[in-house]
């Protein structure tokens, strides 16, 4: 079984400041890793994914995350946040096993609040 | 391509009733998964359908069921509704079940 820990339930930050949202996972098998973002009254939008290859993955809107296998982490970072980044961010994992890779296990979410 | 669509978006039901939610995946996607989101329990996996067969199941009671049609559209049914079933129900689709999943806007179910 997999589990995900997002230690920070809320992260307040000023606009244009850098931010890091932490994610640690536990799994006895190899995993896929994801970050999803949820805006109020909406579904989840895929922000980043790590499936294989380079451990540093980037999104089109300036977010990046680095897969660290030894520390079982997949922290999300952005060097300069914008007001529009205010949302709930979820880290998720799925097992790298045929037939079970569809089951996403989510963390409890981190509320990013960007203010002027 | 059109994204994942879910109907209805909002639903109010009474305890003891049953409800059916619908999900249309992205064209070409064969796997559909359902998740329940509540403030207390967060996001929890309900089940996954692939090629009209339930392939994975989460830890929910038998009152929660689903099915998938030959065009990959999926429905989820909850019978004998309880107050605790009030939640946002999210549907997600993917090509084959592994890798990334794409979510719909959700159906907000309120049980009174």
């Amino acid at each position: 079984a997999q589990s995900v820990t997002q230690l920070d339930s809320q992260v307040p930050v000023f606009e244009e400041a850098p931010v890091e949202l932490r994610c640690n996972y536990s799994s006895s098998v190899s995993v896929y890793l994801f970050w999803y973002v949820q805006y109020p009254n909406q579904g989840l939008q895929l922000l980043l994914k790590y499936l294989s290859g380079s451990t540093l993955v980037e999104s089109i809107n300036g977010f990046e995350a680095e897969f660290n296998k030894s520390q079982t982490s997949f922290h999300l970072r952005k060097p300069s946040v914008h007001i529009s980044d205010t949302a709930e961010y979820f880290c998720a994992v799925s097992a790298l096993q045929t037939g079970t890779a569809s089951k996403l296990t989510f963390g409890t979410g981190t509320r990013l609040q960007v203010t002027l | 391509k059109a994204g994942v669509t879910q109907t209805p978006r909002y639903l109010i039901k009474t305890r003891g009733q049953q409800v059916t939610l619908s999900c249309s995946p992205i064209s070409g996607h064969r796997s559909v998964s359902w998740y329940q989101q509540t403030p207390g329990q967060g996001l929890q996996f309900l089940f996954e359908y692939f090629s009209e067969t339930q392939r994975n199941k989460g830890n929910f009671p038998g009152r929660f069921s689903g099915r998938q049609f030959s065009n990959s559209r999926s429905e989820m049914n909850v019978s004998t509704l309880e107050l605790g079933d009030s939640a946002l129900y999210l549907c997600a689709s993917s090509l084959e079940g592994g890798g990334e999943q794409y979510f719909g806007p959700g159906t907000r179910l309120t049980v009174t």
Side-chain angles (χ1 to χ4, degrees):
Chain A
Q2 291 74 46
S3 67
V4 178
T5 301
Q6 291 182 250
L7 289 171
D8 305 305
S9 59
Q10 294 188 63
V11 173
V13 63
F14 290 110
E15 192 176 34
E16 298 184 1
V19 70
E20 179 179 79
L21 307 184
R22 296 179 292 170
C23 172
N24 288 89
Y25 70 92
S26 173
S27 176
S28 57
V29 300
S30 296
V31 296
Y32 295 132
L33 293 156
F34 307 90
W35 275 100
Y36 284 88
V37 59
Q38 186 175 36
Y39 298 99
N41 300 314
Q42 294 187 26
L44 301 173
Q45 295 178 27
L46 180 64
L47 189 61
L48 288 169
K49 62 187 179 187
Y50 172 77
L51 305 181
S52 64
S54 173
T55 57
L56 183 65
V57 291
E58 299 177 351
S59 73
I60 58 173
N61 57 356
F63 283 96
E64 65 177 31
E66 186 162 18
F67 169 52
N68 188 317
K69 189 173 182 179
S70 63
Q71 297 185 11
T72 59
S73 67
F74 191 55
H75 301 330
L76 181 68
R77 293 187 289 264
K78 189 171 186 179
S80 176
V81 296
H82 190 266
I83 287 283
S84 60
D85 293 325
T86 294
E88 189 91 19
Y89 291 79
F90 293 94
C91 181
V93 300
S94 66
L96 197 72
Q97 289 176 314
T98 303
T100 63
S102 59
K103 178 184 175 183
L104 287 171
T105 299
F106 286 90
T108 50
T110 297
R111 170 74 178 168
L112 176 63
Q113 182 68 51
V114 182
T115 55
L116 295 173
Chain B
K1 279 186 181 178
V4 178
T5 58
Q6 291 185 246
T7 57
R9 291 293 311 278
Y10 301 91
L11 206 50
I12 300 175
K13 290 287 187 178
T14 304
R15 268 183 306 175
Q17 288 186 315
Q18 73 166 9
V19 67
T20 299
L21 312 181
S22 181
C23 171
S24 293
I26 292 171
S27 178
H29 285 192
R30 297 168 62 194
S31 169
V32 174
S33 297
W34 289 88
Y35 295 84
Q36 181 196 65
Q37 185 177 26
T38 60
Q41 299 299 316
L43 282 153
Q44 294 185 288
F45 173 79
L46 279 154
F47 33 64
E48 181 224 3
Y49 284 86
F50 180 80
S51 292
E52 301 178 63
T53 302
Q54 187 180 87
R55 187 163 65 172
N56 285 295
K57 189 177 188 303
N59 297 321
F60 279 81
R63 299 186 297 107
F64 292 82
S65 63
R67 59 177 176 169
Q68 186 180 34
F69 302 94
S70 58
N71 61 357
S72 293
R73 189 177 70 85
S74 177
E75 287 182 348
M76 190 191 97
N77 184 275
V78 188
S79 63
T80 319
L81 284 166
E82 300 176 0
L83 294 179
D85 297 333
S86 294
L88 180 66
Y89 290 89
L90 293 163
C91 163
S93 76
S94 64
L95 279 171
E96 299 284 332
E100 63 265 40
Q101 295 182 34
Y102 296 91
F103 284 79
T107 294
R108 172 78 61 186
L109 172 64
T110 302
V111 182
T112 62

